Amino acid sequence: MFEPAQLRSFLAVAETLSFTKAAERLGLAQPTVSQHVRKLEAAAKRVLVARDTRDVRLTDNGDAMAGFARSILSAHDAASRYFSGSAMRGRLRFGTADDLAITGLPRILREFRQVYPQINLELTVGQSDQLYKRLNAGQLDLVFVKWVAGAKDGTVVQQDSFAWVGLEQTSLDPAEPVPLIAYPAPSLSRKLAIDALESAGRTWRITCTTRQISGVLAAVRAGIGVAVMPSSLVPDDLKIITRRFDLPPVGDVDFTLIRNPLANTEVIEALTQTIAGRTLKRSA
């Protein structure tokens, strides 16, 4: 019902809001792009693009079609690769830090599996330092971890800063030790939090040790203490309390992809490119 060429032209117009820019992106003549959009509108029996002498915008039906178009073209491209014999094959042992797994990463991995169904993706979730050790031991092919900004080579997907996190009603007495919720040692956020407190002359005590981000969040929500985590991953029901209690800055963090040089380069590059350039925020 909907021709791929027409869908591609329509998506280019939807993303640029310009027939001229869409034509340049696709390497087509502008009348060809316009013709594709008109034919798609005829097939859908709906007006998809509203245009006048000043601007171009999508109608409500156009917004809906854009979503369908992306899904249709993704499936079309995957089928073409599969049946042309060019479908990528292999195994990819991928490790991710557990708090990065509460971002949009699961959705990105799902999209990757749809595009590359013949890649056997094996997922390991853990702490960054443990994943890095397994990578160096040859047990993983690619890891997505948190490091102090600039500390490790790799593909930096996103830069962030650590923040102190607690409840809205959190109360800290400056004369008392800071109640700290942390991962077991060794842990990057644990080490940085303790180093920052000691450098600032603040005393501290561990009030909860947990191996998973779900445990950290549960302990903070229970009022057991405060935790350190990347700013972009703080849930809506918790607050960044760094300035409120004059807590010391912890530092910046890189969300980094690091590859095993002995693993399948083509497969690793495919997943790296899928993740790189995507903004990773806390999953809704």
Side-chain angles (χ1 to χ4, degrees), residues 42-90:
K45 298 181 177 61
R46 298 288 191 280
V47 175
L48 305 176
V49 180
R51 44 206 183 275
D52 54 34
T53 56
R54 291 181 301 174
D55 59 13
V56 173
R57 61 180 177 81
L58 296 186
T59 64
D60 290 344
N61 287 318
D63 285 331
M65 178 60 80
F68 289 126
R70 291 186 180 96
S71 298
I72 292 169
L73 290 174
S74 176
H76 181 274
D77 292 345
S80 295
R81 284 191 295 270
Y82 186 96
F83 290 107
S84 67
S86 61
M88 198 181 300
R89 296 173 173 82

Side-chain angles (χ1 to χ4, degrees), residues 5-43:
Q6 297 169 12
L7 292 172
R8 293 186 197 282
S9 290
F10 168 72
L11 271 184
V13 172
E15 291 169 359
T16 63
L17 295 179
S18 167
F19 282 83
T20 301
K21 292 179 181 178
E24 292 173 354
R25 175 188 289 190
L26 298 172
L28 299 174
Q30 184 175 330
T32 301
V33 173
S34 297
Q35 183 183 53
H36 284 170
V37 172
R38 284 196 301 270
K39 288 184 176 180
L40 184 62
E41 289 179 323

